[in-house]
Amino acid sequence: MKLARFETGGRTLCGVVDGDSIKVVTDTDLRDVIMNNGAVAETGETVALGDARLLAPLKPAKNVFCVGLNYQDHITEGERAIGRKLDPQEVPIFFTKPPTSVIGPEDDVLVHQAVTTEVDWEAELAVVIGRGARNISYDDALDHVFGYTLVNDISHRDIQMKHRQWFRGKGLDGACPIGPWIVTADEIPDPQALDVLCRVNGETKQSASTAQMIFDVRTLIESLSAGLTLEPGDILATGTPNGVGFARTPPEFLKAGDVVEVEVSGVGILRNPVVNAD
Ligand code: MG
């Protein structure tokens, strides 16, 4: 089941995506659907996908959890770009993006020209937590996954490098496109067997498999939830593979007029135009 949140005719609705249409459900917040273990009641109304403006599937209640450096090829390209080796990680590196950074699948990625010139892409599979808990075990971890969506972990490299800690460089307004919908976990039997892609203006920049994650989804949930309560609707972006802009030769960054797409097989395509901020 693909669950979307969208606007149509001045209304904000949720529904089940079925081909080129959306079957409207009674809930207007997908967090309520998650709390009900995915149970939905259709209203009988159907909206053509083309008449819907898709929104981020969940209105963020808190920061989006993220993982850095979770693919070896991405670590290697980064080491080459910065000219030094990074210490090996025994545990995942978690950081967050604020709710104000979240945008939907039809919103603009902003180039904040006054503060950054290096706007980069990061295609990522994202996990949507279902049943909340803390101290979730590796074996139970996937039982706490409601579904999957996509995140483009837009990163402002000049700010990221200057401030060292990642929150600032990855937390600007518009830096967290999420969507286009949530695919329920029953449709993704193995989250470690998915293709992750990023295209800019139709040209493939990233192409990898979630099999290449250093810390798999189970380990990420086990590690993040150790002493920290995960709640229904929490989003966890699982890291990006190689092919990001700053590590390319020469480096490439997003600019106004570009279109950036994140795709994960079985989940969908998250496509955002890039525009200059006011
Ligand atoms: Mg990332």
Side-chain angles (χ1 to χ4, degrees):
M1 189 166 60
K2 293 182 175 66
L3 290 162
R5 190 169 72 96
F6 61 100
E7 285 176 356
T8 189
R11 295 178 298 161
T12 300
L13 302 169
C14 292
V16 179
V17 179
D18 181 16
D20 291 335
S21 61
I22 307 175
K23 293 175 176 168
V24 179
V25 301
T26 53
D27 290 301
T28 54
D29 184 340
L30 289 183
R31 203 167 276 105
D32 294 332
V33 176
I34 293 169
M35 303 281 270
N36 284 325
N37 296 316
V40 290
E42 293 176 9
T43 64
E45 181 183 1
T46 297
V47 175
L49 204 48
D51 292 335
R53 181 170 179 275
L54 295 178
L55 305 171
L58 289 159
K59 197 169 178 221
K62 63 202 232 191
N63 286 21
V64 175
F65 296 111
C66 301
V67 179
L69 303 177
N70 198 26
Y71 288 79
Q72 184 57 50
D73 289 348
H74 175 54
I75 295 173
T76 302
E77 70 175 357
E79 288 176 332
R80 198 174 54 237
I82 64 174
R84 64 180 169 85
K85 287 278 185 195
L86 300 171
D87 293 333
Q89 292 297 316
E90 291 173 16
V91 292
I93 308 171
F94 292 111
F95 65 97
T96 68
K97 292 166 88 86
T100 41
S101 69
V102 172
I103 60 172
E106 300 189 36
D107 293 332
D108 300 326
V109 168
L110 300 174
V111 179
H112 300 274
Q113 293 172 290
V115 292
T116 181
T117 58
E118 300 185 352
V119 187
D120 205 347
W121 55 83
E122 292 195 355
E124 307 197 6
L125 172 70
V127 172
V128 179
I129 296 296
R131 189 157 47 87
R134 72 171 175 231
N135 301 329
I136 299 170
S137 71
Y138 180 90
D139 288 341
D140 291 345
L142 294 188
D143 296 338
H144 291 265
V145 174
F146 176 78
Y148 298 89
T149 188
L150 309 180
V151 161
N152 191 345
D153 177 19
I154 295 288
S155 303
H156 302 90
R157 300 300 183 192
D158 40 4
I159 300 174
Q160 182 185 337
M161 302 304 172
K162 207 179 330 178
H163 287 260
R164 301 194 184 180
Q165 212 275 351
W166 294 341
F167 176 77
R168 176 81 183 115
K170 290 167 173 275
L172 300 191
D173 291 3
C176 192
I178 302 180
W181 40 60
I182 299 169
V183 175
T184 49
D186 58 298
E187 295 192 12
I188 309 285
D190 183 3
Q192 308 308 143
L194 306 174
D195 300 323
V196 183
L197 297 112
C198 180
R199 288 179 293 269
V200 178
N201 303 327
E203 188 181 321
T204 300
K205 301 295 186 183
Q206 296 182 278
S207 178
S209 167
T210 55
Q212 297 167 258
M213 284 183 195
I214 296 169
F215 301 104
D216 64 10
V217 169
R218 287 176 184 270
T219 302
L220 294 176
I221 291 172
E222 178 185 46
S223 179
L224 180 59
S225 72
L228 183 157
T229 299
L230 294 178
E231 299 178 294
D234 281 353
I235 294 171
L236 166 63
T238 57
T240 203
N242 63 315
V244 297
F246 89 95
R248 306 182 80 87
T249 312
E252 298 173 24
F253 297 106
L254 296 171
K255 59 187 184 311
D258 288 344
V259 174
V260 60
E261 288 178 313
V262 170
E263 179 171 5
V264 171
S265 53
V267 182
I269 298 175
L270 173 64
R271 179 184 297 114
N272 296 91
V274 181
V275 306
N276 288 328
D278 294 336

